[in-house]
Amino acid sequence: MISLIDLKRQYKSISQEIIESVKEVFESGKYILGPKVTEFEKKCAEYLNVKHAIGVGNGTDALVIALESLGIGKGDEVITTPFTFFATAEAIVRVGAKPVFVDIEPLSYNIDPEKIEEKISEKTKAIIPVHIFGQVCDMKKIVQIAKKYNLYIIEDACQAFGAEFEGKKAGTIGDVGCFSFFPTKNLGGFGDGGLIVTDSDEIAERARMLRQHGSKKKYFNEMIGFNSRLDEVQAAILLVKLKYIDNWNKRRIEIAQKFSTELKLDGLVTPKKSNNYEFGHIYHLYVLQHEKRELIMEYLAQKGIATGIYYPVPLHLTKALSFLGYKEGDFEVAERLCKKSFAIPMFPELTDEEIEYITTSINQFGGSL
């Protein structure tokens, strides 16, 4: 069976480095906000070319803390996409604000910047663009809109570590960027982990306080915060992996190019790269569209090829967010893509033979009808 992602292969390639790095943590006796976290934050800030990088417990906490660091809360509105993982909207609701959805572009799956302005109200405080599947949103237009209406931008770059837009890394273009180090991410740990990045000293100070019970100094709490710190062991693992992220992303791009060139099935829509930057799309997932999605997925399962659906339900139609009052038909593009899009295997360790087998199998599907 070819998995959607095979984490064991990546571990085997760097296992000795991982073991040595984690061993240093065990032997140090420093397990919370220790030297590995400090070093990882420094290396991330350098890699992303940003002033501050703050490690937190996970990507969801990164979004929540970013919102709170900007003072966004009850009575505020935050514009975002309905085609994303639940955490994006969950974080907005968690701080007491209201998610306001905007439909997506049919080929990039990203929020449609042409539809943002019509959703801005006096209550709007921020925009959360999500760089879905590893492709950066049209940040040039989004930044222009944010400046025009004096709005914050919080980039949900949880799927896009290492992606670029106009010479800047994803997560560093807006006021704050948020990342997840969930194991399946392009840069993933061996458990949960997250990161907040910003060039603002004030936002960074608030984020650092919020991640540790609202305090700068232990026992001297200045605000109600969280217990959300990047684990020292995860930092040790991520430090090793950070050295390889560009090579891994390049391999993902190479695999995506092979897929896009070789897939010939009638009616199949392959991912569209919306800019020409080398890392404009780093393919966290390789997502296809087809009207006969279920039949293709069943056929590939018989061939020993795993597939997945990201996402089966747009956020505005989830039970948890029904209180927002949205209904079916409100965001036609997102709803349509939830019914016809599916992912095929994508991870750097895929072999050329496996790539050929996957593309050949998909192309042969037409002959099975």
Side-chain angles (χ1 to χ4, degrees):
M1 187 77 175
I2 303 176
S3 304
L4 271 175
I5 178 170
D6 189 335
L7 297 175
K8 293 180 181 178
R9 295 190 198 182
Q10 188 175 91
Y11 172 67
K12 285 180 181 178
S13 70
I14 55 173
S15 60
Q16 201 54 46
E17 289 181 83
I18 294 287
I19 290 167
E20 289 299 321
S21 189
V22 171
K23 184 181 177 184
E24 288 178 24
V25 175
F26 293 159
E27 292 178 346
S28 74
K30 298 174 181 177
Y31 306 134
I32 300 292
L33 293 183
K36 292 290 187 183
V37 170
T38 300
E39 184 183 358
F40 179 67
E41 290 176 337
K42 181 176 181 292
K43 290 284 178 65
C44 280
E46 291 171 354
Y47 175 83
L48 297 168
N49 193 26
V50 69
K51 195 171 182 182
H52 301 282
I54 303 107
V56 293
N58 52 69
T60 306
D61 283 359
L63 290 163
V64 172
I65 291 172
L67 286 159
E68 288 228 358
S69 296
L70 294 171
I72 294 170
K74 189 175 181 180
D76 296 332
E77 293 180 353
V78 179
I79 290 173
T80 194
T81 167
F83 192 84
T84 179
F85 182 61
F86 185 68
T88 309
E90 183 180 38
I92 297 168
V93 176
R94 182 61 65 190
V95 300
K98 177 184 176 182
V100 175
F101 295 121
V102 169
D103 212 349
I104 61 174
E105 298 172 323
L107 295 178
S108 74
Y109 304 92
N110 280 327
I111 191 169
D112 188 340
E114 302 299 332
K115 297 177 180 177
I116 291 176
E117 282 194 78
E118 63 190 53
K119 296 298 181 74
I120 295 173
S121 73
E122 292 182 355
K123 296 180 179 179
T124 307
K125 292 295 188 295
I127 304 169
I128 300 184
V130 181
H131 307 313
I132 205 74
F133 306 147
Q135 178 162 210
V136 186
C137 297
D138 188 343
M139 291 304 295
K140 187 173 184 178
K141 291 181 181 178
I142 293 171
V143 167
Q144 288 173 346
I145 293 168
K147 286 182 178 179
K148 180 178 178 181
Y149 293 93
N150 195 29
L151 305 175
Y152 291 117
I153 296 175
I154 301 170
E155 292 177 74
D156 183 336
C158 288
Q159 298 183 7
F161 193 96
E164 295 179 358
F165 183 87
E166 294 190 341
K168 289 188 175 182
K169 289 285 199 298
T172 71
I173 304 163
D175 298 281
V176 189
C178 299
F179 296 93
S180 167
F181 301 125
F182 188 78
T184 58
K185 296 295 192 289
N186 292 33
L187 180 64
F190 287 6
D192 280 315
L195 190 75
I196 298 167
V197 300
T198 183
D199 280 323
S200 166
D201 294 341
E202 181 181 354
I203 294 170
E205 181 179 56
R206 285 180 59 84
R208 287 193 179 96
M209 291 172 67
L210 285 166
R211 75 171 173 182
Q212 189 162 235
H213 304 290
S215 63
K216 296 178 189 175
K217 184 180 179 181
K218 194 173 183 179
Y219 304 126
F220 292 84
N221 308 81
E222 299 178 38
M223 63 178 77
I224 302 298
F226 304 87
N227 179 13
S228 182
R229 300 168 294 215
L230 179 64
D231 188 88
E232 187 76 357
V233 171
Q234 297 305 329
I237 293 163
L238 291 165
L239 270 168
V240 173
K241 287 192 166 192
L242 184 61
K243 297 185 294 185
Y244 298 97
I245 188 62
D246 281 347
N247 286 336
W248 288 338
N249 282 342
K250 284 179 181 178
R251 176 59 179 166
R252 287 176 181 269
I253 293 167
E254 181 181 303
I255 293 168
Q257 289 171 341
K258 289 178 183 291
F259 280 150
S260 297
T261 300
E262 299 299 327
L263 288 170
K264 306 292 185 183
L265 178 66
D266 287 346
L268 191 71
V269 179
T270 56
K272 178 181 181 293
K273 188 176 177 183
S274 58
N275 61 63
N276 295 320
Y277 311 111
E278 181 181 7
F279 292 101
H281 195 332
I282 45 108
Y283 299 96
H284 168 59
L285 294 169
Y286 189 88
V287 178
L288 300 165
Q289 300 175 35
H290 200 280
E291 296 295 338
K292 296 180 179 179
R293 175 180 73 183
E294 278 69 27
L295 290 176
I296 296 174
M297 292 175 70
E298 289 175 11
Y299 180 80
L300 293 178
Q302 293 170 7
K303 293 283 189 177
I305 301 168
T307 56
I309 297 175
Y310 304 88
Y311 299 93
V313 183
L315 295 189
H316 67 287
L317 298 182
T318 58
K319 182 178 179 181
L321 297 176
S322 60
F323 69 92
L324 294 173
Y326 291 109
K327 63 185 185 303
E328 192 168 349
D330 283 343
F331 304 105
E332 294 180 358
V333 179
E335 291 170 30
R336 184 173 73 250
L337 295 187
C338 282
K339 294 175 181 177
K340 62 186 290 190
S341 62
F342 66 103
I344 60 175
M346 169 56 77
F347 52 94
E349 297 78 23
L350 269 177
T351 67
D352 288 346
E353 290 76 19
E354 287 171 327
I355 295 165
E356 183 179 356
Y357 179 68
I358 293 166
T359 55
T360 300
S361 297
I362 293 173
N363 289 338
Q364 288 175 343
F365 167 77
S368 70
L369 296 176

